[in-house]
Amino acid sequence: MHTDFSTTLRTHRCGALRAEHAGQRVRLGGWVHRARNLGGLLFVDLRDLSGLVQVSFDPQRTPRELCDLAASLGNETVVLVEGTVVLRPDAMQNAELGTGQVEVHASGLRIVSPAAVPAIPVARAKGENLPAEDLRLRHRYLDLRRTELQANLVLRHRLMQVTRRHLSERGFLEIETPILTKPTPEGARDYLVPSRVHEGEFYALPQSPQLYKQLLMVAGLDRYFQIARCFRDEDLRADRQPEFTQIDIEASFIGVEDVIALTEGLVGALWREAGFTTPAQFPRMTYADAMERYGCDRPDLRYGLEIREVSDVFRDTEFGIARTVLAQGGRVRGIAIPGGAALSRKQVDEIEAAAKSAGAAGLVRLKNNGGQLEGPAAKFLGEGTAARLGLEDGALGLYVAAGDRVANPALDRVRQDVARRLGLVSESDHAFLWVTDFPLFDRDPETGALASVHHPFTSPRADDIPLLDTAPERVRANAYDVVFNGTELGGGSIRIADPALQSRMFGLLGIDEATAQARFGFLLEGLRAGAPPHGGIALGFDRIAMMLAGADSLRDVIAFPKTTAARALFEGAPSPVPPDDLRDLHITVTRPSA
RNA sequence: GGGGCCGUAGCUCAGUUUGGUUAGAGCACUCGACUGUCACUCGAGAGGUCGCGGGUUCGAGCCCCGUCGGCCCCGCCA
């Protein structure tokens, strides 16, 4: 680690000074974080990226003009200070400060740049809330002076360098792919860029470098990676930005196990860089298992609360809801919550509201109170039912009677909600998981049309290829997601290397040959030119940085993020452009008339 | 596209429930005092289009309608 930050203007960074520097003459540059004027004696906390150091001005040893100048300093003024590092007497040391054993006795002071009174405070009082986020974004240069955000960006940098080193050492080539690309008609909306040279035609910003990285494999580059900026014109969330960064990886002559092992190594290196350890191998679970046991393809395994099917318990009972659903081919599934009987009626109502918002008609509640089963459905159920439901004394069972398409998301919500309320989620736990064997297709419940679960270049599992024509929704893909604490870190697949299979896939997806040629012709041509078996993965870099920084929002690990309305408040983008510019681009803006 | 929360001094927030005197506090800012503080302390001062527009009312920060902005969620994100 580089530690010599001396330049022609300074000898040290402020936060680097320690007892060992006592007696040295130093020159420092930084921002006035805060000043304490005791009348005569005056302290200035000088701040740079490395931290704070206390500079003292004492009339008994500091020239009068210097003291006067120091007394005039406003917060956030940029100064150059010259002085001597002095060990503080024991009683005057500050254990909360890295530099707290020393201070700098100033012998020189130069104001480089006086600062306007900051629009939002940089030095905050203890317990003072952060300024509103729109102000933080509008005055981003001030917000970024906060040590928390600086630490986040430092960590982000280190994670990037670890990624580069780890992959480079394994023979991966960092190759840039175009930012001006071809619009993709499927999936997320593209950001479009008008062509000036070609009237009426548009580039698109990439949603991912997917096709390019496959073509690099066709070209024989063997192993590729990129810390790739991607763009999607969709609505935002706390964990979703319109432009974001992925660690994009593709390799040739590779199978599922190779990608998994490679990713475990990279994720391990990233987590170690942030001071955490990871298991050498992550547990695995098939998609089907994840949906059955957790109702979700990225289950949070920090806690149990597994979903169990209890249809048998309700079969042949007079309980109306269950009867109806079972007769229609649905199931009764739910979660047994040890100690859940302690949840109040109101709390369970709120959990039910969450289940309803996810689409369930309601929750069936059963409580084991001292061996006695209680709840609206209890009277329909016989002796020993509590044991069959796995409800111990004090346990609460919450069940959804419905088809899986409804029950899965509802039970996922219930499970997460209950875990949060019962404090079962430990922030310090790190639960990794591979979810494998995703289905290749998803059938639209209304139109019956097939759509890709991952993307149309994902290969089917070899043993499922015979099902392609007979039962395509049962075909499993060579696709995998890596999950951390219930969040998807990334996903990938082994791609289709056979142009005939790729054409067949387009056919199943309802993309005719002409359309396929127009949209993906350059990929099909590439595959026909001799494609190695290849596959890869893309990891959400911002999300990883956010989790490793312990941040709540992606915006706290991105230097200049967008708001949830996809605006950049600092620079004011997007913005209207002069009519002449639009004319050059052959664009007319029409607004809906009032 | 839909739902929820928020918007009062440069910043963080009270005040809105029940409309009623001159809209308050802390920090920051300005001035003054103070020689070992580290969220220094003490005194004084200045600082307001209560997001914006319209309405109801004798009277609106407070009630109603609209609108703008921010955040969170659903849809969306192959």
Side-chain angles (χ1 to χ4, degrees):
Chain A
M1 178 80 185
H2 185 82
T3 53
D4 179 10
F5 293 98
S6 65
T7 67
T8 52
L9 296 180
R10 71 176 177 199
T11 59
H12 296 79
R13 279 181 170 177
C14 300
L17 298 179
R18 293 292 182 273
E20 71 202 59
H21 296 104
Q24 289 187 27
R25 283 191 67 79
V26 294
R27 284 179 295 150
L28 305 172
W31 287 258
V32 172
H33 186 68
R34 221 192 305 262
R36 291 174 293 281
N37 188 342
L38 274 57
L41 187 60
L42 184 136
F43 300 101
V44 170
D45 289 339
L46 193 63
R47 185 195 72 236
D48 64 18
L49 181 64
S50 65
L52 293 179
V53 68
Q54 174 167 282
V55 180
S56 76
F57 298 81
D58 185 336
Q60 290 184 354
R61 56 167 187 271
T62 315
R64 172 71 185 278
E65 319 84 70
L66 220 56
C67 289
D68 289 348
L69 187 61
S72 75
L73 293 173
N75 286 346
E76 299 306 311
T77 302
V78 178
V79 296
L80 290 170
V81 168
E82 195 166 348
T84 307
V85 180
V86 175
L87 208 57
R88 297 197 203 178
D90 284 350
M92 297 165 196
Q93 294 192 353
N94 183 346
E96 288 177 25
L97 216 54
T99 59
Q101 285 190 300
V102 296
E103 65 179 7
V104 174
H105 287 181
S107 54
L109 172 69
R110 203 179 112 212
I111 295 177
V112 180
S113 168
V117 174
I120 57 173
V122 177
R124 275 180 308 141
K126 276 177 192 160
E128 186 181 347
N129 291 339
L130 285 175
E133 191 159 13
D134 53 333
L135 294 169
R136 291 175 43 204
L137 292 172
R138 202 174 301 283
H139 307 284
R140 194 60 168 169
Y141 46 88
L142 291 174
D143 199 34
L144 286 172
R145 287 181 187 175
R146 288 165 46 216
T147 52
E148 297 95 322
L149 287 193
Q150 294 192 338
N152 288 354
L153 292 183
V154 168
L155 176 64
R156 186 180 173 112
H157 159 83
R158 286 166 47 201
L159 296 174
M160 273 195 185
Q161 303 320 311
V162 164
T163 301
R164 291 204 157 95
R165 194 180 333 127
H166 188 89
L167 292 171
S168 298
E169 283 171 357
R170 283 153 186 80
F172 285 80
L173 304 174
E174 183 170 10
I175 301 173
E176 296 155 278
T177 55
I179 293 296
L180 295 177
T181 75
K182 186 178 166 65
T184 52
E186 293 176 329
R189 278 184 286 261
D190 288 320
Y191 277 100
L192 295 176
V193 181
S195 164
R196 175 185 56 81
V197 182
H198 303 285
E199 180 179 346
E201 298 183 34
F202 294 81
Y203 302 98
L205 304 183
Q207 296 181 27
S208 93
Q210 182 61 35
L211 298 183
Y212 295 104
K213 67 177 178 176
Q214 288 192 239
L215 289 168
L216 287 171
M217 296 304 101
V218 169
L221 274 305
D222 199 70
R223 292 183 165 203
Y224 142 96
F225 84 97
Q226 185 177 193
I227 299 180
R229 196 66 67 83
C230 304
F231 306 84
R232 290 179 190 172
D233 188 4
E234 296 292 346
D235 286 350
L236 276 55
R237 292 284 189 282
D239 61 352
R240 212 193 287 167
Q241 282 274 308
E243 59 177 305
F244 58 100
T245 304
Q246 288 191 337
I247 303 174
D248 195 46
I249 296 172
E250 195 80 1
S252 297
F253 302 104
I254 198 170
V256 171
E257 291 301 325
D258 301 302
V259 179
I260 285 180
L262 173 78
T263 305
E264 285 170 345
L266 175 59
V267 168
L270 290 166
W271 255 248
R272 271 194 302 283
E273 184 67 19
F276 303 107
T277 54
T278 60
Q281 273 138 33
F282 305 162
R284 314 255 185 112
M285 190 179 295
T286 64
Y287 173 88
D289 244 18
M291 297 306 287
E292 181 65 22
R293 291 161 62 190
Y294 301 99
C296 156
D297 64 2
R298 44 181 170 80
D300 190 340
L301 296 188
R302 284 175 295 178
Y303 48 90
L305 302 179
E306 276 192 37
I307 297 167
R308 285 184 49 189
E309 177 175 3
V310 295
S311 298
D312 281 351
V313 177
F314 287 88
R315 208 175 299 282
D316 305 322
T317 67
E318 296 301 311
F319 185 49
I321 301 161
R323 272 177 75 102
T324 312
V325 168
L326 290 170
Q328 289 167 351
R331 303 196 285 165
V332 184
R333 291 156 72 216
I335 298 168
I337 306 155
L343 288 166
S344 71
R345 170 79 182 257
K346 178 161 173 284
Q347 287 176 306
V348 180
D349 284 346
E350 286 167 1
I351 293 166
E352 179 166 35
K356 282 180 173 171
S357 78
L363 290 178
V364 178
R365 311 173 185 192
L366 288 168
K367 197 187 282 190
N368 181 341
N369 190 359
Q372 194 67 35
L373 203 58
E374 296 175 355
K379 61 173 179 268
F380 301 110
L381 302 169
E383 285 292 314
T385 302
R388 291 177 69 196
L389 291 171
L391 292 178
E392 300 157 6
D393 188 17
L396 170 70
L398 297 175
Y399 304 93
V400 173
D404 290 351
R405 212 174 248 280
V406 167
N408 280 334
L411 289 170
D412 175 35
R413 286 286 290 275
V414 169
R415 185 172 170 267
Q416 293 189 44
D417 203 344
V418 167
R420 188 174 47 79
R421 284 170 194 276
L422 295 180
L424 303 178
V425 189
S426 163
E427 291 303 324
S428 60
D429 278 2
H430 288 210
F432 289 94
L433 176 71
W434 283 106
V435 177
T436 63
D437 296 334
F438 275 80
L440 191 59
F441 302 109
D442 188 25
R443 202 181 275 285
D444 187 307
E446 274 148 39
T447 66
L450 292 176
S452 294
V453 168
H454 189 47
H455 57 53
F457 320 112
T458 302
S459 64
R461 278 180 48 143
D463 39 348
D464 287 352
I465 287 182
L467 295 171
L468 274 175
D469 293 316
T470 54
E473 64 268 28
R474 280 173 50 205
V475 174
R476 290 164 298 171
N478 287 313
Y480 32 79
D481 276 4
V482 58
V483 174
F484 172 73
N485 289 353
T487 300
E488 180 192 330
L489 292 184
S493 63
I494 301 301
R495 328 297 181 188
I496 296 170
D498 171 7
L501 182 57
Q502 184 65 70
S503 292
R504 199 170 158 202
M505 203 61 61
F506 287 143
L508 286 165
L509 291 166
I511 303 171
D512 63 53
E513 211 159 303
T515 310
Q517 192 58 38
R519 293 176 185 175
F520 311 113
F522 65 115
L523 177 70
L524 289 171
E525 268 175 42
L527 294 180
R528 281 196 291 271
H534 64 287
I537 194 165
L539 302 171
F541 183 74
D542 307 281
R543 229 173 249 194
I544 288 172
M546 174 176 88
M547 290 185 284
L548 291 179
D552 295 322
S553 165
L554 235 42
R555 295 183 293 272
D556 284 347
V557 294
I558 296 174
F560 299 103
K562 306 282 189 288
T563 68
T564 49
R567 282 193 178 280
L569 295 181
F570 175 48
E571 65 270 40
S575 62
V577 298
D580 284 356
D581 293 359
L582 286 177
R583 202 174 313 122
D584 285 351
L585 296 170
H586 324 290
I587 285 184
T588 312
V589 176
T590 58
R591 293 195 167 79
S593 46

